[in-house]
């Protein structure tokens, strides 16, 4: 039979064990509550990130945001002569022919200098200095992706002829730069007439009536088609951006993909 | 001076060893994910020419297509950089656990991993159903975040390892 002292110790141990069990249960319950709160907080942060993500809609800006985009473009190409879809002085001896699709995200990166894209530096150093000019051509890639239910040559002709139409007022490069800077998600069908008109409306000097008359006009659509045919048949391009360069020493194909400024500068040197 | 029974200490030792294995796994996946995100961030700023990828899409590597998509940035900030910040945040949460407050650090780590898991899931959905191209590096990071969400969740729910301040008699 246990002594009185042993009984007291046993009772104490039992009490301590119960207290520990209760404390552990309380801690588990609290941890579960905290984990629910943590999960809810994480869900809110993810939801905000998804909303902030530019996917799913066009990036067409309005009001002061649109003015800010225009100012950025104007700082890059303002003061450089334009003729049709060519940016640069007519006297420049080297011409970089750039085949692009306005819905192509890789063309956007090349044009905006993302992922090593060298066009902004090329414009700043070679085009502005009159060493080279850039001529924009059309090749349907992203817009003609079969996964895009609203894409195809119909959409392509509208959006590209819209740039050519701005080119009739020597403002094509404003249109091209503004389009790329507000490009929407690939295959999302964002490049509607409303979007295209919205881009045009951001160019202060563009006569919208004259511009509208040129969009989808037979002459400009055939110019888009001709550009596409040359890219595919003559140079065997199947992706955008694709490039050729011509100068006093001849013409060379630079292939497809993002070109860095050093690659462009080397190509200019090779044909000069 | 009381001593814990050897059986309790052995059980506690096993639990401690499991926790150590859990923490090792967490550190391994965080390191892999961090290196993955650092590489994608480097490529984003240095040029997609450095991007090694197996798949192809519209004449470009599928990684280039994904990294050039509108979903590759949030308000101009590359998601690869956000991922890198997330992994560095996970490392910081482990430091908080060790040096400041165990429960806070574990909760913070769990929260960061859950956010990474949720956003990685969204981006994988976009790759599959909007971009129609898969970037292996992005999938790698998504797998790391998924595993980390599970592991940090287990770590958070298990709580502190039992104190073993007494040696076995």
């Amino acid at each position: 039979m246990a002594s009185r002292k042993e009984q007291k110790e046993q009772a104490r141990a039992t009490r301590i064990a119960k207290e520990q069990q209760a404390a552990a249960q309380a801690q588990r319950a609290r941890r579960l509550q905290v984990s629910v709160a943590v999960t809810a907080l994480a869900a809110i942060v993810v939801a905000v990130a998804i909303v902030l993500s530019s996917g799913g809609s066009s990036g067409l800006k309005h009001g002061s945001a649109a003015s800010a985009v225009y100012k950025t473009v104007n700082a890059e190409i303002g003061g450089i002569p334009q003729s049709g879809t060519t940016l640069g002085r007519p006297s420049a001896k080297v011409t970089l022919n750039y085949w692009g699709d306005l819905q192509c995200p890789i063309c956007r990166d090349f044009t905006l200098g993302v992922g090593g894209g060298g066009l902004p530096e090329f414009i700043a150093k070679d085009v502005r200095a009159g060493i080279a000019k850039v001529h924009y051509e059309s090749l349907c890639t992203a817009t003609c992706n079969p996964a895009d239910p609203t894409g195809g040559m119909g959409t392509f002709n509208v959006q590209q002829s819209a740039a050519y139409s701005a080119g009739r007022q020597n403002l094509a490069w404003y249109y091209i730069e503004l389009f790329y800077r507000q490009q929407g998600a690939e295959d999302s069908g964002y490049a509607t007439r409303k979007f295209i008109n919205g881009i045009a409306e951001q160019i202060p000097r563009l006569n919208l009536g004259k511009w509208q008359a040129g969009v989808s006009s037979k002459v400009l659509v055939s110019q888009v088609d001709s550009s596409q045919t040359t890219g595919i048949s003559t140079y065997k391009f199947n992706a955008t951006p694709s490039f050729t360069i011509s100068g006093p020493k001849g013409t060379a194909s630079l292939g497809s993909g993002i070109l860095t400024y050093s690659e462009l500068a080397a190509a200019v040197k090779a044909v000069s | 001076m009381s001593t814990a029974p050897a059986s309790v200490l052995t059980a506690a030792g096993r639990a401690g060893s499991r926790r150590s294995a859990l923490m090792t796994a967490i550190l391994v996946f965080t390191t892999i994910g961090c290196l993955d995100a650092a590489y994608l961030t480097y490529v984003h700023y240095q040029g997609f020419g450095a991007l090694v990828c197996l798949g192809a899409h519209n004449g470009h590597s599928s990684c280039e297509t994904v990294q050039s998509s509108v979903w590759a940035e949030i308000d101009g900030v590359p998601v690869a950089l956000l991922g890198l910040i997330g992994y560095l945040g996970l490392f910081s949460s482990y430091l908080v656990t060790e040096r400041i407050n165990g429960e806070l650090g574990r909760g913070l780590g769990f929260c960061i991993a859950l956010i990474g898991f949720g956003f990685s899931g969204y981006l994988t959905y976009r790759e599959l159903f909007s971009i129609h191209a898969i970037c292996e590096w992005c999938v790698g990071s998504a797998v790391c975040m998924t595993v980390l969400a599970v592991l940090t969740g287990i770590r958070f729910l298990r709580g502190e390892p039992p104190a073993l301040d007494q040696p076995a008699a």
Side-chain angles (χ1 to χ4, degrees), chain A residues 207-226:
Chain A
N207 180 320
L208 286 170
K210 284 183 183 173
W211 171 79
Q212 282 281 12
V215 179
S216 295
S217 68
K218 271 188 180 177
V219 177
L220 293 183
V221 167
S222 89
Q223 206 177 319
V224 172
D225 283 340
S226 161

Side-chain angles (χ1 to χ4, degrees), chain A residues 86-110:
Chain A
T86 302
L87 176 73
R89 287 184 211 162
S91 58
K93 288 179 180 167
V94 174
T95 304
L96 176 72
N97 292 295
Y98 165 14
W99 269 266
D101 177 333
L102 288 168
Q103 290 198 45
C104 158
I106 299 169
C107 300
R108 180 202 64 178
D109 288 352
F110 169 72

Side-chain angles (χ1 to χ4, degrees), chain A residues 18-177:
Chain A
K18 277 185 181 169
E19 280 173 4
Q20 282 177 341
Q21 203 180 358
Q25 271 177 350
Q27 201 179 26
R28 268 199 299 274
R30 200 177 72 84
R31 222 174 270 144
L32 266 175
Q33 284 171 347
V34 174
S35 69
V36 170
V38 163
T39 308
L41 177 67
I44 291 167
V45 173
V46 170
V48 170
I50 290 171
V51 169
L52 285 177
S53 155
S54 48
S57 63
S58 80
L60 190 65
K61 305 275 194 295
H62 301 278
S64 58
S67 304
V69 180
Y70 177 79
K71 273 184 190 167
T72 308
V73 171
N74 197 42
E76 186 177 338
I77 63 171
I80 301 175
Q82 291 190 48
S83 170
T85 60
T86 302
L87 176 73
R89 287 184 211 162
S91 58
K93 288 179 180 167
V94 174
T95 304
L96 176 72
N97 292 295
Y98 165 14
W99 269 266
D101 177 333
L102 288 168
Q103 290 198 45
C104 158
I106 299 169
C107 300
R108 180 202 64 178
D109 288 352
F110 169 72
T111 308
L112 272 56
V114 177
L119 189 62
E121 198 174 349
F122 186 71
I123 290 172
K125 290 182 177 170
D126 296 62
V127 176
R128 198 170 277 284
I131 298 165
K133 52 186 180 285
V134 189
H135 180 63
Y136 191 81
E137 301 267 9
S138 295
L139 180 62
C140 194
T141 53
T143 309
C144 288
N145 188 344
D148 183 356
T150 58
M153 280 310 288
T155 305
F156 186 70
N157 284 336
V158 174
Q159 74 195 27
Q160 303 292 118
S161 68
Y164 288 38
S165 187
R168 282 178 165 174
Q169 298 177 50
N170 299 329
L171 293 166
W173 273 87
Y174 279 97
Y175 189 90
I176 292 164
E177 289 270 352

Side-chain angles (χ1 to χ4, degrees), chain A residues 30-31 34-35 38-39 41-42 46 49-50 52-56 105-106 108-109 115-116 147 183-185 187 239-240 258, chain B residues 44 47-48 57-60 64-65 68-71 73-74 103 107 110-111 114-115 118-119 122 130 132 156-159:
Chain A
R30 200 177 72 84
R31 222 174 270 144
V34 174
S35 69
V38 163
T39 308
L41 177 67
V46 170
I50 290 171
L52 285 177
S53 155
S54 48
I106 299 169
R108 180 202 64 178
D109 288 352
Q183 193 184 67
D187 303 338
T240 50
I258 291 179
Chain B
H44 185 93
F48 295 126
H57 177 262
N58 275 352
H60 299 282
E64 194 175 343
T65 303
S68 301
S69 74
V70 285
W71 290 286
E73 288 183 353
I74 293 181
E103 188 131 14
F110 181 39
C111 189
L114 271 182
I115 292 168
F119 199 62
Y122 167 73
S130 300
H132 306 285
F156 176 71
L157 289 172
R158 277 188 182 170

